[in-house]
Structure formats: structure tokens, C-alpha cells
Amino acid sequence: MTLIAVVLYRNSAIEEVVVAAEGHNVALARSLSNTLWSDFGPYVTTVEEEDGDRLRNRSETAELHRLVNELTRGLPVLKIKIFRIDGLTVFSSQADQIGEWKDNAGFRRAAEDGFAASKHSYRHTFSAFSGEMQNRDLVESYIPIKGPDGRVEAVMEIYSDVTLAMARVTKNTISYLGGLFLISLALYFLLYVIVRRADRILNRQYIELDKARTNLQAKNGLLEHEIQQRRRAEAALQDARQDLEVRVEERTQELRREVTERRQALTALRNAKDDAEAANQSKSEFLANMSHEIRTPLNGIIGMAGMLLDSNLSEDDHHYAEVIRHSGESLLAIINDILDFSKIEAGRLQLETVDFDLPTLLDGVVQILTPEAHGKGLALPVFLDPEVPARLCGDEARLRQILLNLIANAIKFTRTGGVATQITLLDDITADKSVVLKFEVVDTGIGIATQAQNRIFEQFTQVDSSTSRRHGGAGLGLAICKRLVGAMGGEIGVVSQLGEGSHFWFTLPLGRQDDAGSQVGWLEDLQGACAGLKVLVVDDNPVNRRAFEDQLTVLGCETSVLPDAHSALETLKAAADSAAPFSVAIIDHIMPETDGVALSKLIRAVPALADLKLVIASAAGLRNTGKAAREMGFDLALSKPLRPNSLIKCLRALLADAPAAEGTLANPEADPRSRASIRVLLAEDNPVNQRVMIALLAKSGVRVDVAGNGVEAIEAVRSRPYDLILMDIQMPELDGVQAARRIRELEGEMGHIPIIAVTAHAMKGDREKYLQAGMNDYLPKPINRAELLSKIDYWADRQRGEPTAGNRQRAAPSKAEPDAEDGGAKKKRGNRARSSKRKSGAS
């Protein structure tokens, strides 16, 4: 350590000497350059390359040598050289070095970077101004000489004699080394003294420890005495233990008596539990009976109101009938919410896993809610991300119920604009064939205040709970959604601002179907077919424009959207003139100023647009839409709201140049003449329900016979062939379940007639009970007209062995329907479609 300190001290001292010498050399160089450079500079920079003798003999060299000697006289400068920046020595105080070339690190730094560079060196011999010198310490400095423009024009090398300074450094170093040596000796002596002192202290401690050992031996004797005393105490403790055992035995007998008493109390609790379960069963039966008794007259009220609305009424009468029907549907919605919440609160919610098709489910949800949305002039688009698999497995009924509730709720609180539904893929878990989907319902409605968002998912809670609130409801819909989403392993939430609409979302884990086809996305069949297809969308509703643009972009189309007919016509003309015409134009039917039909006529009047395919997008539910679309100047018709499958079918038809029927507008009630060959037996004892069903079926073109009870139904089946039986459950003489079982026992075709249970029973297990009795399907009251006709079409065609008839919408069997207590009646949320609903009296 001492040697290192000495070396560091010497290096530091040398560095100080070099820095000081360099400062002197730089000052000398500046003095020389200021004095000589104005005269000598041009010579240095312009002199041509010559040999050393010729340079030495030049008059400028002699004059420079004289001036340098005068300026350095009395200074410790031994030699001065001047180099051009290319390295040529143009002057040296040692004449024989003129003409040599210089190229070392110090010179290059001064010439290239413009900074002085110095180093210390020791020379045994050195040629100086005064001749040869022996054993000299030198500082060699390279100093750039800059011209008026700041550029380096030459480099001056100056050798300074620092022998005396280095001698002082050496002397100081030796003194420093001696001082350190003395300090080290002092430290060693101090250490020796400390060690000796510590040794004396340790000896004294050893003596004290020996004394402590003697004391411990004495204490050991005392401990042995204490051990003997403890042994005597242990003997006393043994006696006490025996006494304690006696007492424990006595306590055990007391505990046995307490156990007997507790068992008796447990028996009493079990009896109380049985009583509570019986009371709960009574409550369930009461709810079922109340639901049945309320649904039955509602079927007549809503059904007859629907029939009145289909008749020729004055404006006031039509308004009164609409109020009656809407009030009945609101009451039905409250009943269904109460039944759902009652079941969830009782812990009887059961989930099922079935295979289902997601686009078909979405189409069904939109079709149910379309009438109410269109009644308010709202757009109702659905966007399904192409990465979402189509065929999934999970609780289809609960998913449908959640979507119906959220979308209907959004429609209720939205006056203008629309309600958009979007489904995207959050996670695809290949290992267990499952996906996590995110469902979003975004509206342009009234919005929700921030302080109200934390409680809207609580039961019996309304955003506006004032007595003057505009919107009805029991405040259970969102609470049920939250419970269902949680039970299915998902999350639900809302983002909203008052006056700017609401954004409800929920996530659900769902499984993929086992078959390989279930892994294929719903856009696979059109992959690449629409790439580059130019499509123009004309719609005054911004929600519809956004929906069309998103779906067409996903399909690969080049999409443009416009809000009115005038700008659309100009855009089409400009595109045709630019040799990049549009291939397809999708035009809204109803628009302000110029509607879709008028725009089509204007387009057809332009020869350059003759090849343009026109599609009318309408929510009007036109009949015979294939023919009607062509008569209005369109190639195809597309129903709104926009659904995932409908746009695909329309584009497929356009690309294949298929008939217009591929893209016709859906009409759930279809043409009554298409059902003229269907004969249905209605087994119903209630006169009001008979009238409602007869009027509804007759208006739809279905031929219907009526049986007042189960016995009459069996006799009717024996006497005449039917395509379908609509079977009430509670009837006199013979109820619907017994009648269905006896019909299944009949021979031949009579025993295989499809039977649909039509009942006001909407509690859990009702549907399964009816299917086990031999019925094929289930339809809860009040009756949804579109659903009834859809099921009639499905089972009538299946009974005859026919494919799908005409344009009629087909219903899936009841297994795909929701639980009876969710009800097909669950589809009541916002459902203002033509509905023939429940009977009065016995089911």
C-alpha cells in the first residue's frame, strides 16, 4: 500500500510539472506566432517541398532562427520546431532536422483536432540550442498555430527543460516515502502495544472465568438439591393427576348428556328446515300459479290487442289498442323478471351446455327486437368479428337472455340514432378448445350519470327512481344479467356519460364444438371473393353507416359511405368517369328529401352506371320483396337491422349473380297463401284463448280445428289427419300431458303427429316435463305470433318431409329454446312484434 501511495504521488507530481510546462510552452508559442507568423506564416504554408540543405540555406530560415533565439533567450526552452500540417519540418533550432517529416500522436492531435498535446520524457543525450546536453528531463509539447480564419496552418514543437523540477519531484517523493515509512513504523509499534494490552486483559478474563467455573460447581450442588425437591413435587403432581382423571370422567358424562341434547336440537332444526323447504315449495307453487293465472288473461289481452291493431281502426282507436298491448307486454316483462330473480335468489339457477350457432342466435335476437327499434326509428346493427368462431357450445338460452335484456334496455332509453352490438374475440385457448368472447352493446341514448353507474346492477334499482320517471320496469333486468354472467364465469360492466349514450359490455368463456368445422370462421366461404370490390353505402343514419362500413371492410371491400342521395349520385358519376366505378351500391329505403327508390331511378337514368348492382336496405318488411325490388329498380333487397348472415347472403348472391330471392327482405309472417295447406288441431278449453288462436292462425292462412279438452283432441286425431297439434296443458276431463301420452300410443301416422305444448306454465322443469310426455316442442304464453308461425312452419314441413318452404323463417326445436321459466316469453324484452298472448281461465 505504501509503494502504491508513493507511485501515485510521483505520477501526480509529474503530471503537474507537465501541465505547468505545457502552459509555458503554449504561451511561448502564442507569443512567437503573434510576433513572427504574420511574416513567416505565408512562407511556411507556401514553401514547396525541397531537400533539407536547400531549406536550411533559405534566408527566411536564418531570419526565423535569429528571431527564435532572441525570444527564447533566458527561457528553459531547448529546441523549437515548426511543421506544416502535412508533417514537413520547415524550421528547427537544430538545423539538420529541417526537411524531415513528422507523424506521431502528439503532432496528429495538434494538426487535426487543434488541441495542444504534451508528454514528459527523459533523454540521456539531447541536442539543444547550446549543443549536446546530458541526462535531461524534458516536456515535449505540440501546439497548433491557427490562421485568421481559425484553421490550423502549422504545428510548433517545443522542448522545455524540466530537469530541476523533476529533481524536486524526486526529492519530494523520497521525503514522502520516508514519512510514510516512519508512519508505518509508528503504526506497527502502536499495534504491538495494543496486542500486549489485549493479552493482559484476556489473562485477567481467564482468571475471572476460572473463578466462575468454581462458582458453577457450587451451584451445581445446589441444583442437585433442587432436583430432589422437584422429584418429590412430581410425586405430588401424580397424585393430583389421578384426581384430575376422576374429574375428567365426571365431565365426560356431562358432555355426553350435552351431546344428547344437541342431537335433539339438531333433529328440531332438521324439522324446521323441512318446514322451511315446504314453505319454499309453497312459495314456488304460489309463484307458478300466480304466473299462470296472470299469463292466462294476458294472452287474451295482448292477443286481442294485436288482432285489433291488424284491423282497420281509427287513429284514436289504434292508439288505445297500442297502449293496451304495450301495457300488457310491460306487465309480462315484470312477471318474467320476478320469476328469474326468484329462481336466482333461491340458488336454483342451473346452466346447460349445448351446441349452437352464434350468427343464428344473433339473427334471432335482432329479429325479436326489430319491431320496437324500428318503431322508434333506431338503427340496430350487429357486428361479429371474423375471428370469432361460429359454432360454439355453452348455455345458449342464457346468452340469448342476456343479449335480449341489454339490447332491449338500450332501445328503451334511446330516442334517436341507434343501438349497435359487437362481438369480438378476447382469447383463444387451444388447449381446452375454448374461447373468451366480449359482447358490447353501444347506444346513443340518454346515458347514465357517474354516481348511478355503481348501483344499476342492483336489484329493484332504476337509474331514474323519481316518481316522474319516463321509463318503466321492475329494476331487475340488469341485476339478472349480472347474476347470469357471473354464474357463466364472465364479467359485466358499463361505461357511460350523461347525455352521450351508454356502452354495456360483458365477457363469457365458451367452448368450441368438437367437429372440425366448428373451428372455421363465419366469413370463410367469402374469403377473398370480395377483395377489391368497390361498394358505396348510402344511409342517413350514422350508426347504420358505421355498421355497413365495418362489415364490408372486414369482407375486404373498398367501402365508401355517404349520408344522402345527392352526394351519392355525384360520387357514382365521378367514379364512373375516372374509370374506377363502383360495383355495388347499398341504398337505404327511407331517407329525407330523396328516398332510396327515387335515387335508384336517378342512377338507372345514367348510362355510365348501367352495370352498377343496386341493393335496397329496408326495415319496412316488404312483401314479395324479390319481385318488388326489381320493380323499384334494384337487383336485391337487404333487410335491416344489419345482421352478420344477411349481408353475407346478399353479397354471395351478387357475386354469383343469383336470383333476388337470396337477398330478399325477411318477413316472419310470410304470405298467408303459403300456409293454406297446413291443418292444425288446437286443443284449448278457454274460449278467449280459442278466439285469439283461431284469429291469429286464420289470418296467417292456417286451417284450424278446435278441441275443448284432451278427450276431444284424441277423437279429432283419430277422425282426421293433422300436420300439427297445439296442446294446452290444463284442460277438463283429460289434461294436455295425458292426452299427449295417449296420442303417442296410437298406431300409424296418428302416433307421430308433432305436438307443441302451448301453456302459461313457465317455471323451471315444465318444458322438460312436457317433452318427456311425448311432445315435440314448447311455447309459453302469452304467444309470440312470429315464434308461433315459425314453429308451425318448421314442424309442418318436417311432418311432410319437405325442405324449408318459401321465404318463411324456420324455428329450431325446443331444445334450442331457453328454459321455460326464462321463457320463450323471455323474448318479451322490448318485443313489440305482433303477439298473440296468453289465455284466461285454466291454462
Side-chain angles (χ1 to χ4, degrees):
M1 292 296 294
T2 302
L3 292 177
I4 293 174
V6 170
V7 171
L8 290 176
Y9 170 78
R10 176 176 173 78
N11 290 340
S12 175
I14 293 174
E15 182 65 22
E16 291 178 358
V17 171
V18 171
V19 170
E22 179 180 303
H24 291 302
N25 291 342
V26 170
L28 175 61
R30 287 178 180 173
S31 176
L32 288 173
S33 63
N34 291 336
T35 303
L36 306 176
W37 197 252
S38 60
D39 297 325
F40 191 68
Y43 162 70
V44 172
T45 56
T46 59
V47 65
E48 296 294 331
E49 179 178 350
E50 299 177 355
D51 58 40
D53 293 333
R54 296 181 64 179
L55 288 173
R56 284 190 291 274
N57 294 328
R58 291 179 69 95
S59 60
E60 292 88 347
T61 303
E63 178 63 17
L64 183 60
H65 194 279
R66 184 185 64 79
L67 293 174
V68 167
N69 286 336
E70 290 179 359
L71 291 173
T72 57
R73 185 176 294 115
L75 298 176
V77 176
L78 302 182
K79 184 188 293 185
I80 294 178
K81 293 182 181 180
I82 299 176
F83 306 91
R84 289 194 318 197
I85 60 174
D86 59 358
L88 178 66
T89 305
V90 296
F91 173 78
S92 175
S93 56
Q94 185 177 347
D96 60 352
Q97 293 180 344
I98 296 177
E100 294 179 352
W101 292 88
K102 192 72 170 182
D103 184 19
N104 61 21
F107 171 79
R108 285 198 302 273
R109 179 180 179 186
E112 295 174 3
D113 300 335
F115 296 99
S118 301
K119 68 176 182 178
H120 166 262
S121 63
Y122 176 80
R123 303 286 180 91
H124 292 286
T125 60
F126 181 76
S127 298
F129 290 122
S130 57
E132 291 289 326
M133 303 183 73
Q134 304 294 324
N135 301 321
R136 311 307 296 177
D137 285 286
L138 305 176
V139 171
E140 179 182 352
S141 298
Y142 292 88
I143 303 158
I145 301 176
K146 299 181 180 180
D149 57 355
R151 293 185 302 174
V152 177
E153 294 182 351
V155 177
M156 183 177 294
E157 181 182 18
I158 301 175
Y159 289 85
S160 298
D161 187 1
V162 293
T163 303
L164 294 177
M166 290 304 298
R168 287 194 297 272
V169 169
T170 302
K171 180 179 179 181
N172 292 338
T173 301
I174 294 172
S175 299
Y176 181 74
L177 178 62
L180 289 177
F181 178 75
L182 293 176
I183 291 172
S184 299
L185 287 177
L187 290 175
Y188 287 139
F189 177 77
L190 180 61
L191 181 62
Y192 172 78
V193 171
I194 292 172
V195 170
R196 291 289 296 173
R197 179 65 177 169
D199 182 65
R200 293 191 188 99
I201 293 172
L202 289 175
N203 285 334
R204 285 198 298 270
Q205 290 181 349
Y206 177 78
I207 295 171
E208 291 173 358
L209 287 174
D210 186 68
K211 293 178 180 179
R213 182 178 62 80
T214 304
N215 293 334
L216 287 175
Q217 289 176 348
K219 290 180 179 180
N220 185 48
L222 295 175
L223 287 175
E224 289 178 354
H225 177 69
E226 290 179 2
I227 290 172
Q228 293 176 358
Q229 291 180 342
R230 288 186 180 184
R231 286 175 179 172
R232 289 192 291 268
E234 286 177 357
L237 287 175
Q238 180 66 20
D239 296 336
R241 184 180 66 81
Q242 294 176 354
D243 180 67
L244 181 59
E245 287 177 352
V246 173
R247 293 183 180 181
V248 167
E249 180 62 26
E250 295 175 351
R251 179 56 180 163
T252 301
Q253 297 299 327
E254 294 177 0
L255 290 175
R256 287 174 180 171
R257 289 192 296 270
E258 290 179 4
V259 168
T260 302
E261 294 173 356
R262 290 187 180 183
R263 286 177 179 173
Q264 293 173 351
L266 181 59
T267 302
L269 287 174
R270 287 175 179 171
N271 293 335
K273 176 177 174 292
D274 293 340
D275 294 341
E277 289 177 347
N280 186 56
Q281 180 64 27
S282 299
K283 182 188 75 171
S284 299
E285 292 175 357
F286 171 76
L287 286 174
N289 291 333
M290 289 302 298
S291 171
H292 178 273
E293 295 305 320
I294 295 174
R295 289 170 184 271
T296 299
L298 276 179
N299 187 51
I301 294 171
I302 299 175
M304 285 303 182
M307 300 307 298
L308 281 174
L309 291 171
D310 289 340
S311 62
N312 295 324
L313 298 176
S314 65
E315 184 176 350
D316 287 342
D317 292 341
H318 189 278
H319 173 70
Y320 299 151
E322 184 67 32
V323 171
I324 293 172
R325 187 182 67 176
H326 182 70
S327 299
E329 290 176 346
S330 298
L331 178 58
L332 180 62
I334 294 173
I335 292 171
N336 284 327
D337 280 344
I338 292 174
L339 288 176
D340 272 341
F341 195 75
S342 175
K343 180 190 64 176
I344 294 174
E345 285 292 294
R348 296 166 56 193
L349 178 65
Q350 293 183 358
L351 302 176
E352 61 179 2
T353 300
V354 298
D355 293 343
F356 66 93
D357 183 80
L358 184 58
T360 301
L361 183 149
L362 295 173
D363 283 350
V365 170
V366 171
Q367 185 178 5
I368 291 171
L369 299 174
T370 294
E372 183 171 355
H374 287 171
K376 300 178 71 172
L378 302 177
L380 195 62
V382 176
F383 176 73
L384 183 62
D385 191 283
E387 295 183 357
V388 176
R391 292 182 286 278
L392 302 169
C393 54
D395 198 321
E396 177 190 17
R398 302 300 181 187
L399 176 57
R400 180 189 293 109
Q401 181 180 356
I402 296 167
L403 288 172
L404 282 169
N405 214 330
L406 292 179
I407 300 174
N409 199 59
I411 292 172
K412 181 169 66 173
F413 291 98
T414 302
R415 298 179 184 176
T416 60
V419 178
T421 304
Q422 179 171 332
I423 300 92
T424 54
L425 179 67
L426 285 186
D427 195 8
D428 190 349
I429 306 172
T430 306
D432 57 358
K433 296 182 179 180
S434 64
V435 294
V436 179
L437 303 185
K438 184 176 184 180
F439 298 79
E440 300 172 87
V441 178
V442 183
D443 63 62
T444 57
I446 61 176
I448 305 171
T450 303
Q451 60 271 21
Q453 293 179 22
N454 296 328
R455 55 185 176 85
I456 59 172
F457 291 105
E458 298 176 3
Q459 60 268 26
F460 305 110
T461 298
Q462 289 278 359
V463 173
D464 179 10
S465 58
S466 64
T467 57
S468 60
R469 60 189 178 93
R470 300 179 180 180
H471 306 284
L476 287 174
L478 292 178
I480 292 172
C481 286
K482 182 177 182 179
R483 298 290 184 91
L484 291 178
V485 170
M488 297 169 72
E491 297 179 348
I492 189 170
V494 63
V495 178
S496 180
Q497 290 187 4
L498 197 61
E500 298 184 9
S502 300
H503 180 172
F504 282 87
W505 60 268
F506 66 94
T507 60
L508 278 185
L510 297 168
R512 291 176 177 265
Q513 294 183 22
D514 291 334
D515 59 294
S518 65
Q519 312 302 320
V520 181
W522 58 279
L523 294 179
E524 185 184 40
D525 55 351
L526 282 182
Q527 184 178 9
C530 295
L533 186 70
K534 291 193 66 176
V535 180
L536 177 67
V537 177
V538 188
D539 198 307
D540 61 303
N541 190 307
V543 178
N544 279 335
R545 291 199 301 272
R546 172 67 184 275
F548 273 112
E549 184 176 18
D550 288 347
Q551 294 204 26
L552 289 169
T553 301
V554 168
L555 290 169
C557 301
E558 295 182 19
T559 309
S560 300
V561 294
L562 293 172
D564 57 78
H566 175 73
S567 59
L569 185 60
E570 295 300 322
T571 300
L572 289 171
K573 290 180 180 179
D577 293 339
S578 65
F582 285 91
S583 302
V584 179
I586 301 176
I587 303 172
D588 186 23
H589 188 183
I590 307 299
M591 293 187 294
E593 298 182 7
T594 305
D595 63 14
V597 177
L599 177 58
S600 72
K601 293 179 180 179
L602 294 174
I603 292 173
R604 293 306 186 198
V606 180
L609 302 178
D611 295 333
L612 180 66
K613 297 288 187 181
L614 296 183
V615 178
I616 183 171
S618 176
L622 300 175
R623 295 179 181 273
N624 301 321
T625 52
K627 180 179 178 182
R630 290 190 294 273
E631 289 176 351
M632 291 186 292
F634 293 88
D635 297 279
L636 287 178
L638 180 65
S639 64
K640 291 198 301 185
L642 184 62
R643 302 189 295 275
N645 282 338
S646 60
L647 184 60
I648 289 179
K649 292 178 181 178
C650 177
L651 291 178
R652 184 188 296 119
L654 286 174
L655 294 174
D657 200 17
E662 283 288 338
T664 57
L665 296 175
N667 179 16
E669 299 181 14
D671 189 345
R673 292 173 294 179
S674 64
R675 298 190 180 92
S677 61
I678 299 177
R679 180 178 290 276
V680 172
L681 174 63
L682 173 63
E684 172 67 65
D685 65 307
N686 186 278
V688 175
N689 285 339
Q690 288 178 359
R691 293 182 62 184
V692 171
M693 294 292 286
I694 290 171
L696 190 154
L697 294 173
K699 184 175 180 179
S700 301
V702 178
R703 293 181 295 169
V704 58
D705 295 335
V706 178
N709 56 53
V711 175
E712 293 180 7
I714 295 172
E715 292 300 325
V717 170
R718 286 174 175 169
S719 61
R720 175 177 292 177
Y722 290 98
D723 297 301
L724 184 69
I725 301 174
L726 300 177
M727 183 73 74
D728 187 23
I729 299 301
Q730 289 187 356
M731 294 185 292
E733 298 190 33
L734 191 68
D735 64 29
V737 174
Q738 293 175 333
R741 288 172 178 166
R742 294 191 185 182
I743 291 173
R744 291 294 177 242
E745 294 174 357
L746 298 177
E747 297 179 355
E749 294 294 330
M750 294 182 294
H752 299 285
I753 300 174
I755 303 174
I756 299 178
V758 182
T759 177
H761 287 288
M763 294 299 290
K764 181 175 179 61
D766 288 338
R767 184 193 69 177
E768 290 77 7
K769 180 172 63 176
Y770 305 143
L771 297 181
Q772 290 174 2
M775 301 186 189
N776 301 87
D777 213 333
Y778 169 84
L779 191 62
K781 296 177 183 177
I783 300 300
N784 181 301
R785 183 177 185 177
E787 186 178 6
L788 172 64
L789 297 179
S790 182
K791 288 183 181 294
I792 289 175
D793 290 342
Y794 177 85
W795 289 109
D797 289 349
R798 184 167 179 174
Q799 175 70 359
R800 298 173 180 181
E802 298 176 359
T804 306
N807 295 336
R808 293 201 298 268
Q809 182 76 17
R810 288 293 174 239
S814 184
K815 182 177 180 180
E817 295 298 321
D819 278 339
E821 65 202 56
D822 300 332
K826 243 334 150 220
K827 298 179 180 177
K828 45 74 181 170
R829 288 166 174 70
N831 183 9
R832 299 179 60 184
R834 300 291 189 234
S835 304
S836 302
K837 305 208 171 178
R838 309 228 171 241
K839 70 183 182 180
S840 60
S843 170

XYZ file of all heavy atoms in Angstrom, residues 46-52 54-55 84 86 88 90 99 101:
124
model
N 3.396 28.130 -47.864
C 3.515 28.111 -49.336
C 4.815 27.497 -49.819
O 4.974 27.266 -51.024
C 3.414 29.540 -49.884
O 4.443 30.350 -49.330
C 2.055 30.120 -49.538
N 5.733 27.216 -48.902
C 7.010 26.694 -49.339
C 6.826 25.358 -50.042
O 6.052 24.517 -49.604
C 7.985 26.562 -48.149
C 7.488 25.550 -47.159
C 9.389 26.192 -48.646
N 7.516 25.192 -51.174
C 7.434 23.957 -51.916
C 8.337 22.922 -51.242
O 9.292 23.265 -50.530
C 7.889 24.171 -53.362
C 7.005 25.124 -54.149
C 5.624 24.564 -54.361
O 5.524 23.317 -54.410
O 4.663 25.326 -54.455
N 8.047 21.653 -51.459
C 8.835 20.580 -50.862
C 10.243 20.599 -51.486
O 10.390 20.535 -52.718
C 8.165 19.232 -51.078
C 8.956 18.100 -50.493
C 8.248 16.776 -50.686
O 7.088 16.798 -51.100
O 8.866 15.743 -50.447
N 11.251 20.733 -50.651
C 12.642 20.765 -51.097
C 13.461 19.860 -50.186
O 12.978 19.426 -49.141
C 13.193 22.202 -51.027
C 12.435 23.192 -51.926
C 12.964 24.611 -51.784
O 13.844 24.819 -50.933
O 12.513 25.479 -52.484
N 14.741 19.618 -50.510
C 15.563 18.837 -49.618
C 16.041 19.693 -48.452
O 15.907 20.933 -48.467
C 16.767 18.215 -50.357
C 17.634 19.279 -51.015
O 17.838 20.344 -50.380
O 18.101 19.058 -52.134
N 16.576 19.054 -47.429
C 16.921 19.768 -46.206
C 17.947 20.865 -46.409
O 17.846 21.944 -45.820
N 18.562 22.779 -48.995
C 18.026 23.974 -49.646
C 17.142 24.739 -48.670
O 17.132 25.965 -48.672
C 17.250 23.586 -50.895
C 18.139 22.947 -51.954
C 17.340 22.601 -53.203
N 16.829 23.837 -53.826
C 16.107 23.846 -54.947
N 15.803 22.698 -55.533
N 15.692 24.997 -55.452
N 16.376 24.032 -47.836
C 15.549 24.723 -46.858
C 16.406 25.433 -45.818
O 16.081 26.545 -45.372
C 14.595 23.730 -46.163
C 13.436 23.216 -47.011
C 12.695 22.118 -46.253
C 12.467 24.367 -47.310
N 4.592 21.933 -41.089
C 3.330 22.142 -41.792
C 2.346 21.035 -41.367
O 2.751 20.018 -40.804
C 3.540 22.086 -43.309
C 4.281 23.281 -43.818
C 4.190 23.409 -45.309
N 4.334 22.137 -46.013
C 4.602 22.026 -47.304
N 4.763 23.115 -48.029
N 4.714 20.861 -47.888
N 0.987 18.879 -43.071
C 1.231 17.596 -43.740
C 2.432 16.866 -43.141
O 2.779 15.773 -43.573
C 1.435 17.797 -45.238
C 2.602 18.725 -45.544
O 3.232 19.235 -44.590
O 2.879 18.940 -46.736
N 5.777 18.186 -42.813
C 7.102 18.630 -43.271
C 7.696 19.604 -42.252
O 7.050 20.581 -41.856
C 6.980 19.308 -44.641
C 8.289 19.861 -45.204
C 9.257 18.718 -45.510
C 8.008 20.683 -46.473
N 9.596 22.597 -41.484
C 10.041 23.781 -42.236
C 11.000 24.633 -41.410
O 11.633 25.553 -41.935
C 8.833 24.610 -42.688
C 7.980 23.811 -43.656
C 8.002 25.048 -41.494
N 13.492 19.820 -43.047
C 13.209 18.966 -44.211
C 12.734 17.578 -43.842
O 12.316 16.805 -44.703
N 10.262 14.718 -41.923
C 8.774 14.567 -41.822
C 8.412 14.080 -40.423
O 9.113 13.259 -39.835
C 8.245 13.568 -42.867
C 8.381 14.067 -44.261
C 9.447 13.933 -45.085
C 7.402 14.824 -44.947
N 9.228 14.540 -46.288
C 7.938 15.106 -46.223
C 6.130 15.301 -44.651
C 7.254 15.839 -47.177
C 5.453 16.004 -45.604
C 6.004 16.301 -46.846
